[in-house]
Amino acid sequence: MKKIFNIIVAASLAVGLTSCLKDDEHFVDFASAGYVAEIPYVANRSILKTVTVSAASSSLVAPVDINIASPNPPTQDVPVTVAIDQAALTAYNTANKTSYTLLPAAAFQLTNPMVTVAAGQRIATVNVNFIGTQIPATGGPYAVPLSITTVPSNVVISANYHTQILVVSRAK
């Protein structure tokens, strides 16, 4: 009797578990997904990134990585352009009840606004050069909002992770 009961339980389990294998409704085929340009720091941490610049510094470089997210690395070079985005800073301030203002143009330089993610790679780096001697001692808090603005037609700009706001802290 016990042997028959064990056989029935084992058969029921086998039949019950095979029905799970036919659930294609929730299957997502990522192999057909395209390329998405994003800023990985934003995806993994926060839209805000604090950069502390010495008041006496003539140059401090803050890197901002650009990632091409896809099932496989791109097969050809992907040019990506970033730009200062005042509208993104205003939207962030409104949504979060903050009062960041754009750092004066003399205090920073976007040294390479257009970067190329090389074929077979995923990351390229945009550099923002801060000039501590030009950062105002009063006013603020200051920030530099960067957004991905231009990509090739076969690449999509991430809706959630395309902007990073560098909050500038002035060290004495």
Side-chain angles (χ1 to χ4, degrees), residues 47 85-98 100 163 165:
I47 191 170
D85 190 350
Q86 177 63 55
L89 184 60
T90 301
Y92 181 85
N93 282 336
T94 301
N96 296 284
K97 296 179 176 62
T98 55
Y100 293 111
T163 298
I165 299 173

Side-chain angles (χ1 to χ4, degrees), residues 43-74:
N44 295 321
R45 292 178 186 89
S46 169
I47 191 170
L48 297 180
K49 180 179 182 181
T50 301
V51 178
T52 303
V53 183
S54 167
S57 171
S58 61
S59 179
L60 174 89
V61 176
V64 176
D65 288 336
I66 306 298
N67 180 53
I68 301 301
S70 62
N72 298 305

Side-chain angles (χ1 to χ4, degrees), residues 123-142:
I123 301 281
T125 303
V126 171
N127 292 313
V128 182
N129 186 29
F130 290 97
I131 303 140
T133 56
Q134 296 297 314
I135 296 174
T138 59
Y142 293 108

Side-chain angles (χ1 to χ4, degrees), residues 13-26:
L13 252 157
V15 170
L17 290 176
T18 58
S19 66
C20 295
L21 299 176
K22 297 176 186 167
D23 185 14
D24 289 337
E25 177 182 338
H26 303 288

